[in-house]
């Protein structure tokens, strides 16, 4: 079996950009080398969810001439022409004058895309370059060898609910490679192991949760085909960071979402319900009239910024994209960072392989290139920018309200510590329920496999129920968790792979392990 | 020994995105759907991997064969990753548009080539999934067996290799243990244990493995028998099944009138929803495009006529009246002559009786020979089979052998005139059936044959009351059979395990989280089930929502819904169940639905015919009593 030169875990934009760049460089140098991408979703894009405002300049470098390609992803791409920010009070919507909107939040000229489709398209390009892509294989463990990354071990397949191997049991295979790139996204299990082994940032990583629906509007709707709006305010309380968005997606579809800083204090906050309440706002309801929800999902976004960046390289190992925490918090944009960081990694790995050396030293070019391409400096700038805000001391509306929404959080503690036992929203249920929401994500797991969500200590759930009223029952958008008396019941089949339970469980009592490959949500256009 | 697995790439009907629907035309854009390996073929592959161990095991290979467009390579790579040794893709534009007939022909040519050139005369078997999710006809494997003149062992569930090859399969009268006596033989698999997983390293290796690619010429196919020209059926209309069933619920406040209303509806018999009643057709002296009678294959086991045959005789009478021809009933078996009068009472004018000791047990070869001889001799214009396990094995072979088109699982039949490319076809049979997992309906007509054949699901048509004054003639037929036609040894027939499954019950009493605790589930639901068992005919089973199962009220095999059982009972009780989409998808085809829930806004009421907004703690004892009281009246 021919050896793998570079193994990339995660077929999101970061992983695929790494693969494309590296393979381009190797081909230019006339080298035969195996570049392999392993993705846990059944297809590229099935686990990919983003808002969708995309700064496409990075593609010009990665795929020169991409805009001329005859592919529906390119030819149908929505270019944003109208870009508005609204502040919502309970009944009204106020357009924020453009002069008051920070430049970082101007999106005219960007594209509005579906990440599922971007990933599928990048996958096609990567295969054309000669990259090998294997979907439906999930990595569960980083293989370390005396301080060097040796490769990964895949998930065991075919265990019964109690863990005993069934007739078709296939022990998790080991995959070795000269360089292993972790592109497994926000809260990726392998990148977490990497960070544990090689060190995290000065600050802990913090996250937001995005809840999203794809809605088909009736023909002739008034929203327009090249428009994005962002909203602040309702339904969020002033002390909940976040905002809403509504983006044209082409073919009468719009992407609707709510992004919530996971450091909310309310023990009963349910993001899936918040989205329904948001949809019920007169302004939103009017825009969405006659719309039909065709897909739904959720995902976390790392927002710790510069000082939460972990060690980025090790002997034989590199972190890229959300796995490293490359998100611009001013803009809540990570797609272009994912692609750029992947290109930096691709270049650095090509250089290292050319030297026949994959050590940390040989990979040092990665950081240098991140600096060169401006990612680190941008993030540093945003960090300083954030410091200039003081949480809670807002001066003068509406700019202060704007600031309150922007997720430039000063809080440097982990999100789960923010939950307060006595803080409740006590919302009334409305709109779509969680089973419908989950159904629209296409999520599926083998019901008789060992639950991939492990409750570490059952007693802690009882304590949590008594103190906090089991926040996971509320915040999990897939309704995975449920207390029956003193027992925590985990419906792992519902899991949307959004990662919120990892971040928000106040007891840090839930361990998300990787389920069998090919399971989980099936996003086609999220 | 070697094995050839027939595999097919199919659209993923388990995840149909909204954009795949063309709402205006009511059809699915298949191009938008993802493609996957047909799920049953995965089971077939798993069985084949076991079969590879059968003597002679040394050097034995599993080879996967598919006919399809170049993209179908994807499933061959998947099969290799799951353990197959080799793969062949038969691809050619000329294969396009094939129905089961033309597909079976081409696959059979491919198998011959494998036998000659790859296996070089060494023993092998052919394994296939019983049906594919898109066509859902179960015809191709049976017709491949017919083309190659092989024994077909259908509905295989398990394989044993302790003493040669022994296969356990569901037969018409029980769980059969059979030993194939000749090589090669063809096995179709309906389910088996855990399918084999893809290995990463095998996946990688498979990409470097060369697939064999054969075109029509390579398999020496007759151009007139492949693709569109070789097809015996043609789809001429695709439409959407009736929209989602939102029922209008009749609410009750008291248990007694609710029980009475449920009982009355239930005893009325099934709503004739499935069969769209065809219009009567007027021949008006026109020259019909087909000639001959309307025939029904009579399925019997141990002297008992299967209900579906009676239903089909009634339908055949209507068709024959439209066409002004006679109704024939084909009755093979051993010592079955005494059944002829009841077939006449049910509508047969002529009973074709083939009585032979070799027809004592159903085996596909002697049966298809017998029926095929009759068809070729008398040439009916229409022949109907029940879409029972037996019918699905037999009809495809008879059709293939007698050069007739066959449409599986029809839900409506109608005689009509049809214009096709300027030619008017007079008084032909329009056959309508669900396809793509029930997501679309297709109306199909037979072409290029003298007989139009169809299988029809049990319960689609209603059997008329027998008319004991009707008379008819019996034509005896002596089939040309010999011991050589017996190619399996039926080692034993065990009674099928009692039909305990909730999936097959006529009445399902389901409870959800609203029951609160296992003891309450036990007390309330078992009580109600017992009371109903005494009053209404049909088998009663307990069901549950997933939450009820998770909470330990009852085992997972009683779970109804997306990840549990799909049930289609005559009567379904949803008690303390909220009606989540995943639950509803498993029970929405129940005929009569009764919901009891204390929440008047529970979604389950959207799917219920009868409802009661009440606390089950009081409502259920009252309802149980009301049903129990019905026992004496
Ligand atoms: C709601 C929301 C809105 C956003 N809006 C925007 C926006 O408008 N503009 C913008 O630029 N950015 C936006 N972002 C951020 C952007 O989506 C991310 O920064 C970007 O997707 C990161 O790419 P990635 O490749 O690093 O990770 P991901 O896209 O998360 O990809 C990681 C991949 O790795 C796979 N994987 C994970 N673990 C394993 C494993 N163990 N084995 C195998 N495979 C594994 C996953 O299945 C996944 O496919 C948004 C994010 C969210 C959640
Ligand atoms: C991938 C996936 C697969 C799934 N598969 C399935 C499946 O196969 N089958 C399935 O059922 N679910 C399935 N689910 C779960 C489904 O979403 C729901 O969670 C489940 O069906 C709810 O069960 P329930 O109706 O019993 O419970 P609940 O939703 O809690 O409803 C209980 C109901 O009982 C009523 N009630 C309570 N007390 C009383 C009383 N005293 N008297 C009268 N009424 C009362 C309440 O009003 C409520 O309507 C699946 C979910 C996912 C995500």
């Amino acid at each position: 079996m021919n050896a793998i030169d570079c193994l990339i875990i995660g077929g999101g934009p970061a992983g695929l950009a790494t693969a494309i760049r590296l393979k381009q460089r190797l081909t230019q140098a006339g080298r035969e080398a195996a570049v392999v991408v392993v993705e846990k979703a059944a297809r590229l894009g099935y686990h990919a969810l983003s808002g969708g405002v995309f700064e496409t300049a990075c593609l010009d470098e990665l795929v020169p001439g991409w805009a001329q390609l005859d592919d529906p992803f390119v030819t149908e791409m929505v270019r944003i022409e109208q870009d508005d920010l609204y502040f919502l009070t309970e009944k009204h919507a106020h357009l924020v004058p453009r002069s008051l909107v920070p430049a970082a939040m101007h999106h005219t000229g960007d594209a509005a895309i579906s990440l599922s489709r971007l990933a599928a398209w990048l996958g096609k390009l990567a295969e054309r370059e000669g990259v090998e892509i294997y979907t439906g294989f999930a990595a569960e463990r980083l293989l370390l060898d005396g301080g060097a990354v040796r490769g990964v071990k895949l998930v065991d397949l075919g265990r019964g609910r109690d863990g005993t191997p069934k007739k078709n049991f296939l022990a998790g295979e080991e995959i070795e490679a000269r360089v292993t790139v972790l592109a497994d996204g926000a809260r990726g299990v392998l990148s977490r192991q990497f960070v544990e082994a090689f060190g995290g940032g000065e600050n802990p990583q913090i996250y937001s949760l995005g809840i999203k629906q794809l809605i088909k509007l009736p023909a002739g709707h008034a929203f327009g085909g090249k428009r994005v709006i962002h909203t602040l305010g309702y339904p969020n309380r002033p002390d909940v960071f976040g905002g809403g968005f509504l983006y044209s997606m082409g073919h009468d579809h719009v992407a609707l979402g709510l992004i919530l800083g996971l450091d909310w204090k309310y023990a009963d906050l349910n993001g899936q319900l918040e989205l329904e309440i948001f949809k019920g706002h007169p302004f939103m309801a009017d825009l969405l009239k006659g719309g039909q929800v065709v897909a739904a999902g959720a995902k976390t976004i790392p927002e710790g910024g510069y000082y939460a960046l972990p060690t980025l390289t090790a002997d034989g190992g590199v972190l890229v994209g959300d796995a490293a925490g490359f998100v611009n918090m001013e803009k809540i944009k990570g797609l272009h960072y994912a692609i750029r960081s992947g290109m930096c990694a691709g270049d650095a790995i090509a250089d290292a392989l050319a030297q026949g050396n994959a050590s940390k030293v040989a990979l040092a070019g990665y950081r240098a290139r991140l600096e060169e391409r401006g990612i680190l400096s941008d993030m540093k700038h945003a960090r300083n920018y954030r410091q200039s805000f003081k949480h809670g001391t807002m001066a003068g509306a509406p700019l202060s309200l704007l600031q309150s929404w922007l997720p430039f959080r000063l809080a440097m503690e982990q999100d789960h510590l923010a939950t307060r036992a006595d803080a409740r929203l006590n919302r009334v249920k409305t709109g779509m329920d969680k089973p419908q929401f989950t159904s629209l994500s296409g999520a599926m797991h083998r019901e008789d496999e060992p639950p991939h969500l492990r409750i570490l200590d059952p007693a802690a759930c009882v304590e949590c129920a008594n103190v906090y009223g089991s926040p996971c029952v509320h915040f999990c958008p897939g309704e995975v968790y449920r207390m029956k008396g003193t027992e925590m019941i985990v419906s792992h089949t519902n899991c949307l792979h959004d990662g919120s339970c990892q971040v928000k469980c106040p007891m840090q009592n839930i361990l998300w392990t990787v389920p069998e490959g090919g399971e989980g949500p099936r996003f086609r256009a999220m | 020994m070697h094995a050839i697995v027939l595999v097919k790439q199919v659209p993923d009907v388990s995840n149909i995105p909204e954009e795949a629907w063309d709402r205006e035309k009511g059809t699915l854009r298949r191009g938008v759907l993802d493609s996957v390996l047909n799920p049953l073929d995965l089971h077939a592959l798993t069985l084949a991997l076991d079969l590879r161990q059968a003597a002679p095991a040394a050097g034995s290979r599993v080879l996967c064969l598919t006919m399809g467009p170049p993209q179908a390579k994807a499933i061959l790579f998947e099969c290799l990753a799951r353990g197959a040794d080799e793969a062949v893709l038969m691809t050619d534009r000329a294969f396009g548009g094939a129905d089961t007939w033309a597909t079976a022909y081409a696959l059979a040519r491919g198998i011959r080539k494998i036998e000659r050139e790859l296996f070089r005369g060494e023993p092998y078997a052919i394994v296939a999934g019983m049906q594919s999710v898109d066509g859902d006809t179960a015809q191709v494997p049976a017709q491949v067996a017919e083309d190659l003149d092989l024994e077909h062992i259908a509905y295989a569930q398990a394989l044993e290799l302790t003493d040669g090859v022994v296969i356990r399969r569901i037969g018409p009268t029980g769980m059969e243990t059979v030993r194939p006596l000749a090589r090669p033989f063809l096995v179709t698999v309906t389910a088996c244990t855990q399918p084999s997983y893809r290995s990463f390293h095998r996946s990688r290796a498979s990409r470097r493995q060369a697939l064999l690619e054969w075109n029509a010429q390579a398999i020496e196919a007759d151009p007139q028998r492949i693709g569109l020209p070789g097809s015996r059926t043609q789809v001429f209309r695709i439409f959407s099944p009736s929209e989602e069933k939102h029922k209008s619920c009749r609410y009750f406040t008291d248990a007694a009138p609710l029980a009475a209303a449920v009982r009355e509806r239930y005893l009325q018999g099934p709503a004739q929803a499935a069969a769209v009643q065809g219009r009567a057709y007027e021949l008006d002296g026109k020259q019909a495009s087909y000639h001959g009678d309307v025939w029904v294959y009579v399925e019997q086991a141990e002297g008992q006529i299967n209900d579906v045959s009676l239903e089909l005789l009634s339908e055949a009478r209507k068709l024959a009246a439209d066409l002004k021809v006679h109704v024939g009933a084909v009755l093979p078996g051993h010592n079955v002559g005494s059944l002829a009068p009841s077939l006449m009472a049910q509508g047969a004018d002529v009973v074709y009786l083939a009585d032979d000791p070799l027809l004592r047990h159903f085996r596909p070869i002697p049966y298809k020979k017998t029926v095929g001889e009759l068809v070729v001799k008398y040439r009916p214009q229409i022949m109907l089979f029940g879409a029972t396990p037996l019918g699905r094995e037999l009809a495809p072979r008879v059709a293939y052998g007698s050069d007739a088109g066959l449409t599986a699982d029809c839900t409506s039949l109608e005689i009509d005139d049809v214009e096709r490319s300027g030619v008017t076809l007079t008084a032909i049979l329009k056959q309508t059936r669900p396809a793509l997992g029930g997501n679309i309906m297709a109306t199909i007509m037979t072409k290029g044959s003298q007989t139009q054949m169809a299988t029809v699901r049990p319960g689609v048509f209603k059997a008329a009351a027998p008319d004991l004054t009707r008379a008819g003639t019996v034509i005896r037929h002596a089939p040309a059979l010999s011991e050589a036609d017996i190619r399996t040894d039926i080692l034993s027939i065990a009674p099928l395990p009692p039909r305990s499954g909730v999936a097959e019950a006529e009445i399902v009493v389901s409870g959800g989280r609203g029951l609160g605790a296992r003891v309450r589930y036990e007390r309330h639901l078992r009580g109600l089930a017992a009371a109903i068992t005494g009053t209404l005919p049909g088998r009663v089973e307990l069901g549950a929502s997933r939450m009820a199962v998770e909470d330990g009220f009852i085992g997972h095999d009683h779970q109804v819904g997306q990840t549990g059982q799909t049930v289609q009972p005559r009567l379904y009780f949803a008690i303390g169940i909220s009606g989540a989409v995943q639950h509803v998808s498993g029970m929405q085809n129940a005929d009569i639905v009764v919901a009891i829930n204390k929440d008047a806004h529970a979604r389950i009421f959207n799917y219920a015919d009868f409802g009661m907004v009440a606390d089950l703690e009081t409502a259920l004892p009252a309802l149980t009593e009301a049903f129990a009281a019905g026992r004496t009246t």
Side-chain angles (χ1 to χ4, degrees), chain B residues 281-349:
Chain B
Y281 174 83
E282 285 296 334
L283 197 52
D284 282 340
K286 282 177 283 183
Q287 186 65 38
S289 298
Y290 286 86
H291 314 285
D293 288 344
V294 178
W295 281 15
V296 170
Y297 174 79
V298 179
E299 185 173 336
Q300 56 77 30
E302 286 151 12
Q304 274 290 100
I305 301 172
N306 190 311
D307 286 346
V308 70
S309 306
L310 305 180
E311 295 161 12
L312 292 184
L313 279 169
S314 301
E315 178 63 14
R317 273 245 64 81
K318 288 186 200 145
L319 299 175
D322 283 353
L323 296 165
K324 308 202 171 12
V325 296
H326 294 294
V327 171
V330 179
L331 177 61
H334 185 47
N335 294 333
V336 289
S338 59
L339 299 175
S342 42
L343 297 175
M344 292 170 189
Q346 204 67 41
D349 301 304

Side-chain angles (χ1 to χ4, degrees), chain B residues 101 146 372 375-376 379 397-404 449-451 453:
Chain B
W101 219 96
E146 178 61 23
V375 170
V376 171
R379 274 296 167 192
R397 293 194 79 147
V398 172
Y400 195 87
S402 61
D403 213 346
S449 16
Q450 289 166 269
T451 305
M453 295 194 180

Side-chain angles (χ1 to χ4, degrees), chain A residues 9-16 38-41 45 47-55 115 137-140 183-186 188-190 208-212 230 245 247 258-259 298-302 320-323 326-327 331-336 338 497 512 514:
Chain A
I9 304 303
L16 293 167
V38 167
E39 165 59 49
K40 68 177 158 64
H47 290 182
L49 182 151
S50 187
V53 175
F54 179 36
E55 298 184 11
L115 177 55
F137 291 101
E140 77 172 5
D184 54 352
V189 167
L190 272 78
S208 282
L209 176 63
I211 314 264
K212 180 173 169 184
H230 290 89
F245 63 81
Y247 301 156
L258 204 54
I259 294 178
K299 193 156 176 58
T300 44
I301 312 162
V320 294
D322 276 10
F326 292 134
V327 168
K331 309 179 178 181
I332 324 191
K333 282 182 179 166
L335 293 170
H336 60 305
H497 293 212
W512 198 94
V514 189

Side-chain angles (χ1 to χ4, degrees), chain A residues 1-4 7 34 36 38 43 46 117 127 132-137 154 157-158 166-170 173-175 216 253 292 294 433 435-436 438-439 442-447 479 482-484 489-491 493-494 516 522 524, chain B residues 12 14-19 23 31-36 46 50 81 193-208 513 516-518 546-553 556 559 562-564 578-582 603:
Chain A
M1 187 72 214
N2 61 347
I4 298 176
L7 170 67
V36 170
V38 167
R43 276 167 211 277
Y46 268 16
R117 294 203 167 129
E127 282 187 325
E132 299 173 44
I133 300 179
Y134 300 95
T135 55
F137 291 101
L154 300 182
L157 302 170
K166 310 211 295 184
K167 178 177 175 255
N168 56 352
F169 178 74
L170 181 63
E173 295 165 276
E174 293 194 350
I175 312 176
K216 181 163 195 250
H253 284 67
Q292 184 201 354
V294 297
D433 60 15
Q436 272 176 290
T438 311
S439 162
M444 205 57 192
H445 296 79
R446 189 157 60 82
E447 212 145 85
E479 202 166 51
R482 181 156 74 81
M483 277 309 269
K484 180 183 172 240
I489 297 192
V490 177
S491 304
T493 18
N494 301 21
E516 288 182 1
R522 288 177 287 185
R524 302 175 52 111
Chain B
D12 184 357
S14 73
N15 184 29
I16 298 180
E18 177 55 34
E19 74 254 30
R23 296 277 171 207
V32 178
L33 300 179
D34 289 329
S35 300
V36 293
T46 307
D50 287 344
T193 44
Q194 293 83 23
S196 74
Y197 280 102
R198 289 183 311 145
S199 131
F200 172 81
H201 291 298
R202 286 195 67 98
S203 279
R204 263 202 99 203
S206 75
R207 304 265 181 111
R208 284 171 186 71
R513 181 153 69 133
R518 185 188 177 113
R546 197 182 70 182
M547 285 211 179
V549 170
E550 283 172 345
D551 287 1
F553 298 177
H556 182 263
Q559 179 175 319
Q562 187 188 321
T563 44
S578 61
V581 273
Q582 297 91 349
R603 288 166 50 93

Side-chain angles (χ1 to χ4, degrees), chain A residues 22-62:
Chain A
L22 173 58
K23 195 69 191 173
Q24 285 168 342
R25 288 278 314 268
L26 292 166
T27 307
Q28 275 162 20
R31 287 173 53 109
E32 274 284 325
V35 177
V36 170
V37 176
V38 167
E39 165 59 49
K40 68 177 158 64
R43 276 167 211 277
L44 284 184
Y46 268 16
H47 290 182
L49 182 151
S50 187
V53 175
F54 179 36
E55 298 184 11
T56 54
C58 56
L59 287 182
D60 301 339
E61 290 169 55
L62 180 66

